[in-house]
Amino acid sequence: MRTRIPATALIAIGLSVCAQAARLDLGQAPPPVRVARWIKAPVKPTGPPRIRIVGFFSSWSAPSNQALPVLAQVARKHAKLVTIEMISVYEKSSGAADTSYYKTVAAFVKQRAALMPYAVGVDDPKGAMANAWLEASGERGVPTSFIIGRNGKIVWIGHTMMLDTVMDEIVSGKFDFATYRKERKEQMEAEEKEYRLLKRFNELQQSGRYREAVAELDRIAKAQPEYGRRMVLVRFNLLLKSDEKAAYTYGRELLNGELKDQSGMLWLMARMLLDETPGLVRPDYKLALDLSQRSADLTKHNDANILTALAYAHFKLGHVDKAIEIQERAIPIGDANPQIPER
């Protein structure tokens, strides 16, 4: 029923993993919604109490963008039953006094008005809403949503992409709260176990000791091969920061081996080479080209983000005409799928 962002994915994009006991859980009353600014203010509903959905997203997050059509469908399908408040969190800022991202979020919402027919607010630079809701409940990614029942208690916490399915179950009376509560407890315990396994590794990579982090990761993978297979992107990312030559050799191995049919993973690797990993001395743009080309082939050249990466790789290699040709093909695909974030 739920899709959670695993610790491995957070580490791959440079975020730390913290374990803490959840202070906000199912069956409890939620904290108040206190945003720094409303981009679209909530309208107080009339009539009997409604089901509330309080969700969290980031304007830069591809999964948040991809969830917008789901939210729009829920808002329209259950217009007389629910109220929705979406809060922008984890936006990019230069510090606790920087509120420039308010304008970024406002522009984001204006551009996607048809996909956001509900109240939208912005968290403050200190992350008050993220702390009170996401971190307090043990969540650590976006998009995440909370469903609050008519009795004012939290009945569901999970990935926003699941909202349509869960709301249908709730409205039809088929939602099994006891089973879901048990599943969530088991999932949280599994993630706590994962945190303990990664604790030493996380300390090393957070302190910039990337070579030691790779060695620790290899130790974990040797002891638990299945877990090691889940960490290949993380290993590639760390090698880029510590041993470029080894990273490019490893990248070729992944491209020709276990990731050869995984378009999303290949695209992420290409992005790491193209613009996501600062400080590369000799970026292997030919590898980036091959990664994005394979990813584009797997998606039948019908994904705007992947085509943009392919165009950028050609540009980096000096193939300007080819880059323009591919980018021009990507534009109408992106226009036809507004949930795809602009680059």
Side-chain angles (χ1 to χ4, degrees):
M1 183 177 289
R2 303 179 66 248
T3 303
R4 289 175 58 82
I5 300 175
T8 52
L10 287 174
I11 293 167
I13 60 173
L15 298 180
S16 62
V17 180
C18 300
Q20 61 176 7
R23 304 185 304 276
L24 180 64
D25 207 348
L26 301 173
Q28 296 180 1
V33 173
R34 292 175 178 157
V35 299
R37 177 177 297 179
W38 286 108
I39 305 299
K40 294 174 66 176
V43 177
K44 189 173 182 178
T46 58
R50 295 191 177 198
I51 297 169
R52 290 177 62 205
I53 296 174
V54 178
F56 296 86
F57 74 99
S58 299
S59 63
W60 50 263
S61 160
S64 292
N65 275 264
Q66 291 159 3
L68 292 180
V70 174
L71 275 162
Q73 180 165 315
V74 170
R76 295 186 175 105
K77 185 190 295 186
H78 305 292
K80 296 181 179 180
L81 299 175
V82 304
T83 61
I84 300 177
E85 297 162 298
M86 292 300 293
I87 315 301
S88 165
V89 294
Y90 303 138
E91 296 294 343
K92 298 174 182 178
S93 69
S94 60
D98 180 11
T99 60
S100 60
Y101 64 87
Y102 292 0
K103 292 182 179 179
T104 301
V105 177
F108 175 90
V109 174
K110 182 179 180 180
Q111 188 179 39
R112 294 160 178 79
L115 290 171
M116 304 183 81
Y118 38 73
V120 183
V122 184
D123 198 6
D124 66 36
K126 294 183 179 179
M129 284 293 292
N131 290 332
W133 288 73
L134 295 176
E135 295 183 26
S137 63
E139 296 296 322
R140 57 186 180 215
V142 288
T144 293
S145 291
F146 295 70
I147 298 178
I148 299 102
R150 292 187 177 92
N151 64 354
K153 307 295 185 183
I154 299 170
V155 298
W156 185 85
I157 306 171
H159 197 297
T160 300
M161 289 291 284
M162 297 298 298
L163 272 178
D164 192 30
T165 300
V166 176
M167 278 301 303
D168 284 348
E169 291 180 1
I170 290 174
V171 171
S172 67
K174 296 179 180 179
F175 181 70
D176 188 337
F177 178 75
T179 298
Y180 169 67
R181 191 174 205 168
K182 180 174 179 291
E183 290 175 352
R184 175 174 169 79
K185 182 175 183 293
E186 291 172 351
Q187 182 65 47
M188 297 293 281
E189 289 173 350
E191 292 196 1
E192 172 64 19
K193 182 179 179 181
E194 183 174 280
Y195 164 78
R196 290 195 297 270
L197 179 67
L198 287 172
K199 187 173 185 296
R200 174 61 178 163
F201 165 77
N202 195 40
E203 291 170 351
L204 290 169
Q205 68 96 21
Q206 284 296 306
S207 63
R209 296 156 66 183
Y210 301 126
R211 287 181 182 272
E212 293 176 70
V214 171
E216 174 66 10
L217 190 57
D218 290 345
R219 184 193 67 78
I220 294 171
K222 185 176 181 180
Q224 301 189 37
E226 177 58 32
Y227 193 82
R229 285 190 286 271
R230 292 169 50 197
M231 299 284 281
V232 292
L233 264 191
V234 179
R235 190 174 191 274
F236 179 67
N237 179 264
L238 291 173
L239 284 173
L240 285 175
K241 297 175 180 178
S242 61
D243 188 340
E244 284 187 39
K245 184 177 180 180
Y248 303 144
T249 299
Y250 184 55
R252 285 280 170 198
E253 292 173 0
L254 294 176
L255 171 61
N256 297 321
E258 59 190 289
L259 297 187
K260 65 179 181 180
D261 295 322
Q262 299 190 37
S263 63
M265 300 280 268
L266 298 175
W267 171 68
L268 284 171
M269 289 172 64
R271 285 190 57 182
M272 288 180 196
L273 289 170
L274 291 168
D275 57 9
E276 299 292 324
T277 307
L280 292 180
V281 178
R282 294 183 177 179
D284 189 341
Y285 293 131
K286 180 60 169 64
L287 174 59
L289 177 65
D290 293 343
L291 289 164
S292 50
Q293 181 67 61
R294 175 63 179 166
S295 182
D297 291 343
L298 288 169
T299 53
K300 302 185 185 303
H301 292 245
N302 198 36
D303 185 298
N305 280 336
I306 293 172
L307 288 178
T308 295
L310 179 58
Y312 195 24
H314 275 292
F315 177 78
K316 288 287 192 179
L317 288 167
H319 312 155
V320 177
D321 290 343
K322 187 68 174 178
I324 293 172
E325 174 200 332
I326 295 172
Q327 190 61 61
E328 287 178 342
R329 280 194 276 129
I331 291 171
I333 296 173
D335 290 343
N337 295 276
Q339 71 271 26
I340 295 176
E342 293 82 2
R343 284 178 55 81

